[in-house]
Coordinates of all heavy atoms in Angstrom, one line a residue:
F70 N -2.2 4.8 -2.6 CA -2.3 6.3 -2.4 C -3.3 6.5 -1.3 O -4.3 5.8 -1.2 CB -2.9 6.9 -3.7 CG -1.9 6.9 -4.9 CD1 -2.0 5.8 -5.8 CD2 -1.0 7.8 -5.1 CE1 -1.1 5.8 -6.9 CE2 -0.1 7.8 -6.2 CZ -0.2 6.8 -7.1
E71 N -3.0 7.5 -0.5 CA -3.9 8.0 0.5 C -3.8 9.5 0.5 O -2.8 10.1 0.7 CB -3.6 7.4 1.9 CG -4.6 7.7 2.9 CD -4.3 7.0 4.2 OE1 -4.3 5.8 4.2 OE2 -3.9 7.7 5.2
D72 N -5.0 10.2 0.2 CA -5.0 11.6 0.1 C -3.9 12.1 -0.9 O -3.2 13.1 -0.5 CB -4.9 12.3 1.4 CG -6.0 11.9 2.4 OD1 -7.2 11.7 1.9 OD2 -5.8 11.8 3.6
N73 N -3.8 11.5 -2.0 CA -2.8 11.9 -3.1 C -1.3 11.7 -2.7 O -0.4 12.2 -3.3 CB -3.0 13.4 -3.5 CG -4.3 13.6 -4.2 OD1 -4.8 12.7 -5.0 ND2 -5.0 14.7 -3.9
T74 N -1.1 11.0 -1.6 CA 0.2 10.7 -1.1 C 0.5 9.2 -1.5 O -0.2 8.3 -1.1 CB 0.4 10.9 0.4 OG1 0.1 12.3 0.7 CG2 1.8 10.6 0.9
P75 N 1.6 9.0 -2.3 CA 2.0 7.7 -2.6 C 2.8 7.0 -1.5 O 3.7 7.6 -0.9 CB 2.9 7.8 -3.9 CG 3.0 9.3 -4.1 CD 2.4 10.0 -3.0
Y76 N 2.5 5.7 -1.2 CA 3.2 4.9 -0.2 C 3.7 3.6 -0.9 O 3.0 3.0 -1.7 CB 2.2 4.5 0.9 CG 1.7 5.6 1.7 CD1 0.7 6.4 1.3 CD2 2.3 5.8 3.0 CE1 0.2 7.5 2.1 CE2 1.8 6.9 3.8 CZ 0.8 7.7 3.3 OH 0.3 8.7 4.1
L77 N 4.9 3.3 -0.6 CA 5.5 2.0 -1.1 C 6.0 1.2 0.1 O 6.7 1.7 0.9 CB 6.7 2.4 -2.0 CG 7.4 1.3 -2.8 CD1 6.5 0.7 -3.8 CD2 8.7 1.8 -3.4
V78 N 5.4 0.0 0.2 CA 5.7 -0.9 1.3 C 6.7 -2.0 0.8 O 6.5 -2.7 -0.2 CB 4.4 -1.6 1.8 CG1 4.7 -2.5 3.0 CG2 3.4 -0.6 2.1
M79 N 7.9 -2.0 1.6 CA 9.0 -2.9 1.1 C 9.5 -3.8 2.3 O 9.2 -3.5 3.5 CB 10.1 -2.0 0.7 CG 9.8 -1.1 -0.4 SD 11.1 0.2 -0.7 CE 10.9 1.2 0.7
E80 N 10.2 -4.7 1.9 CA 11.0 -5.6 2.9 C 11.9 -4.7 3.7 O 12.5 -3.7 3.2 CB 11.8 -6.5 2.0 CG 12.9 -7.3 2.8 CD 13.8 -8.1 1.8 OE1 13.7 -7.9 0.6 OE2 14.5 -9.0 2.4
Y81 N 11.9 -4.9 5.0 CA 12.8 -4.2 5.9 C 14.1 -4.9 6.0 O 14.2 -6.1 6.3 CB 12.1 -4.0 7.3 CG 13.1 -3.5 8.3 CD1 13.6 -2.2 8.2 CD2 13.5 -4.2 9.4 CE1 14.5 -1.7 9.1 CE2 14.4 -3.7 10.3 CZ 14.9 -2.4 10.2 OH 15.8 -1.9 11.1
V82 N 15.2 -4.2 5.8 CA 16.5 -4.6 5.9 C 17.2 -3.7 6.9 O 17.2 -2.4 6.6 CB 17.3 -4.7 4.6 CG1 18.7 -5.3 4.8 CG2 16.5 -5.6 3.6
P83 N 17.9 -4.1 7.9 CA 18.2 -3.3 9.1 C 19.3 -2.2 8.8 O 19.3 -1.2 9.5 CB 18.7 -4.3 10.1 CG 19.0 -5.5 9.4 CD 18.2 -5.5 8.2
K84 N 20.2 -2.4 7.9 CA 21.4 -1.5 7.9 C 21.8 -1.2 6.4 O 21.7 -2.0 5.6 CB 22.6 -2.1 8.6 CG 23.8 -1.2 8.8 CD 25.0 -1.9 9.3 CE 24.9 -2.3 10.7 NZ 26.1 -2.8 11.3
T85 N 22.2 0.1 6.2 CA 22.7 0.5 4.9 C 24.2 0.3 4.9 O 24.9 0.2 6.0 CB 22.4 2.0 4.6 OG1 23.2 2.8 5.5 CG2 21.0 2.3 4.7
L86 N 24.8 0.1 3.7 CA 26.2 0.0 3.6 C 26.9 1.3 4.1 O 27.9 1.3 4.8 CB 26.6 -0.2 2.2 CG 28.1 -0.3 1.9 CD1 28.8 -1.4 2.7 CD2 28.4 -0.5 0.4
K87 N 26.2 2.5 3.9 CA 26.8 3.7 4.5 C 26.9 3.7 6.0 O 27.9 4.1 6.6 CB 25.9 4.9 4.0 CG 26.4 6.2 4.6 CD 25.6 7.4 4.1 CE 26.1 8.7 4.6 NZ 27.2 8.8 5.5
E88 N 25.9 3.2 6.7 CA 25.9 3.1 8.1 C 27.0 2.1 8.6 O 27.7 2.4 9.5 CB 24.6 2.5 8.7 CG 23.4 3.5 8.5 CD 22.1 2.9 8.7 OE1 21.9 1.7 8.6 OE2 21.1 3.7 9.0
H89 N 27.2 1.0 7.8 CA 28.2 0.1 8.1 C 29.6 0.7 8.0 O 30.5 0.5 8.8 CB 28.1 -1.2 7.2 CG 29.2 -2.2 7.4 ND1 29.1 -3.1 8.5 CD2 30.3 -2.5 6.8 CE1 30.2 -3.9 8.4 NE2 30.9 -3.5 7.4
L90 N 29.8 1.4 6.9 CA 31.1 2.1 6.6 C 31.4 3.2 7.7 O 32.5 3.3 8.2 CB 31.1 2.7 5.2 CG 31.1 1.7 4.1 CD1 31.0 2.4 2.8 CD2 32.4 0.8 4.1
D91 N 30.3 3.9 8.0 CA 30.5 5.0 9.0 C 30.9 4.4 10.4 O 31.7 4.9 11.1 CB 29.2 5.8 9.2 CG 28.9 6.7 8.0 OD1 29.8 6.9 7.2 OD2 27.8 7.2 7.9
A92 N 30.3 3.2 10.7 CA 30.6 2.6 12.0 C 31.9 1.8 12.0 O 32.7 1.8 13.0 CB 29.5 1.6 12.4
N93 N 32.3 1.1 10.9 CA 33.4 0.2 10.9 C 34.6 0.8 10.1 O 35.7 0.2 10.0 CB 33.0 -1.1 10.3 CG 32.0 -1.8 11.2 OD1 32.1 -1.8 12.4 ND2 30.9 -2.3 10.5
K94 N 34.4 1.9 9.4 CA 35.5 2.6 8.6 C 36.0 1.8 7.4 O 36.3 2.5 6.4 CB 36.6 3.0 9.5 CG 36.3 3.8 10.7 CD 35.7 5.1 10.3 CE 35.4 6.0 11.5 NZ 34.1 6.5 11.5
R95 N 36.1 0.5 7.4 CA 36.6 -0.2 6.2 C 36.0 -1.6 6.1 O 35.5 -2.1 7.1 CB 38.1 -0.2 6.2 CG 38.7 -1.0 7.3 CD 40.2 -1.1 7.3 NE 40.8 0.2 7.3 CZ 42.0 0.5 7.0 NH1 42.8 -0.5 6.6 NH2 42.5 1.7 7.0
L96 N 36.1 -2.1 4.9 CA 35.6 -3.5 4.6 C 36.9 -4.3 4.2 O 37.8 -3.8 3.6 CB 34.6 -3.5 3.5 CG 33.3 -2.8 3.7 CD1 32.5 -2.7 2.4 CD2 32.5 -3.6 4.7
S97 N 36.8 -5.5 4.5 CA 37.9 -6.4 4.1 C 37.8 -6.7 2.6 O 36.7 -6.5 2.0 CB 37.9 -7.8 4.8 OG 36.7 -8.5 4.4
P98 N 38.8 -7.1 1.9 CA 38.7 -7.4 0.5 C 37.6 -8.5 0.2 O 36.9 -8.4 -0.8 CB 40.1 -7.9 0.1 CG 41.0 -7.2 1.1 CD 40.2 -7.1 2.4
E99 N 37.5 -9.4 1.1 CA 36.5 -10.5 1.0 C 35.1 -9.9 1.1 O 34.2 -10.3 0.3 CB 36.7 -11.6 2.1 CG 38.0 -12.4 1.9 CD 39.2 -11.6 2.5 OE1 39.1 -10.7 3.3 OE2 40.3 -12.1 2.1
E100 N 34.9 -9.0 2.0 CA 33.5 -8.3 2.1 C 33.2 -7.5 0.9 O 32.1 -7.5 0.4 CB 33.5 -7.4 3.4 CG 33.5 -8.2 4.7 CD 33.6 -7.2 5.9 OE1 34.6 -6.4 5.9 OE2 32.8 -7.3 6.8
V101 N 34.2 -6.8 0.4 CA 33.9 -5.9 -0.8 C 33.6 -6.8 -2.0 O 32.6 -6.6 -2.7 CB 35.2 -5.1 -1.1 CG1 35.1 -4.4 -2.5 CG2 35.4 -4.0 -0.1
T102 N 34.3 -7.9 -2.1 CA 34.1 -8.9 -3.2 C 32.7 -9.5 -3.1 O 31.9 -9.5 -4.1 CB 35.1 -10.0 -3.3 OG1 36.4 -9.4 -3.4 CG2 34.9 -10.9 -4.4

Side-chain angles (χ1 to χ4, degrees):
F70 292 93
E71 188 173 293
D72 298 325
N73 295 320
T74 300
Y76 293 80
L77 188 64
V78 182
M79 303 167 287
E80 169 186 12
Y81 170 64
V82 182
K84 187 189 285 187
T85 68
L86 178 58
K87 180 176 181 354
E88 291 167 339
H89 179 80
L90 292 172
D91 289 347
N93 298 315
K94 304 296 184 233
R95 62 177 60 195
L96 295 168
S97 71
E99 294 80 17
E100 289 173 308
V101 170
T102 302

